[in-house]
């Protein structure tokens, strides 16, 4: 980790997704984008991968693995609460 970015959960309304701000410029960018609730619980040491929970009004909470650069809200599903 080089200290270039600060990571946080941002969003709009009831939707939440991971975002990051570049320390030097203050520029904010989306790590992913969602209409539901994405909550990152763990990051890889190099901050390129993360584990997160996702849920919306129609979907119970499931765990997913994400990769920085892929902004979809449901990347690699790890659990299936509806099974």
């Amino acid at each position: 980790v080089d200290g270039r970015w600060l990571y946080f959960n941002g969003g709009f309304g009831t939707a939440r997704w991971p975002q990051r701000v570049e320390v030097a410029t203050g520029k904010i960018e989306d790590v992913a984008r969602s209409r539901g609730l994405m909550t990152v619980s763990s990051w890889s040491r190099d901050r390129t991968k993360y584990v997160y929970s996702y849920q919306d009004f129609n979907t119970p909470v499931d765990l997913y693995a994400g990769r920085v650069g892929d902004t979809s809200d449901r990347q690699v599903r790890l659990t299936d609460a509806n099974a």
Side-chain angles (χ1 to χ4, degrees), residues 4 7-8 14 18 21 28 33 36 40 42-43 46 50 52 59 65:
R4 181 177 171 201
Y7 292 83
F8 63 97
T14 59
V21 61
I28 296 173
R33 187 79 177 171
V40 175
S42 183
W43 288 90
D46 64 1
Y50 54 96
Y52 63 96
T59 309

Side-chain angles (χ1 to χ4, degrees), residues 3-17:
R4 181 177 171 201
W5 302 97
L6 292 175
Y7 292 83
F8 63 97
N9 266 356
F12 183 77
T14 59
R16 293 288 176 263
W17 56 86

Side-chain angles (χ1 to χ4, degrees), residues 11-38:
F12 183 77
T14 59
R16 293 288 176 263
W17 56 86
Q19 294 180 302
R20 64 185 183 178
V21 61
E22 190 172 24
V23 174
T25 65
K27 178 185 174 199
I28 296 173
E29 62 180 53
D30 295 330
V31 174
R33 187 79 177 171
S34 177
R35 290 186 176 173
L37 178 62
M38 291 179 72

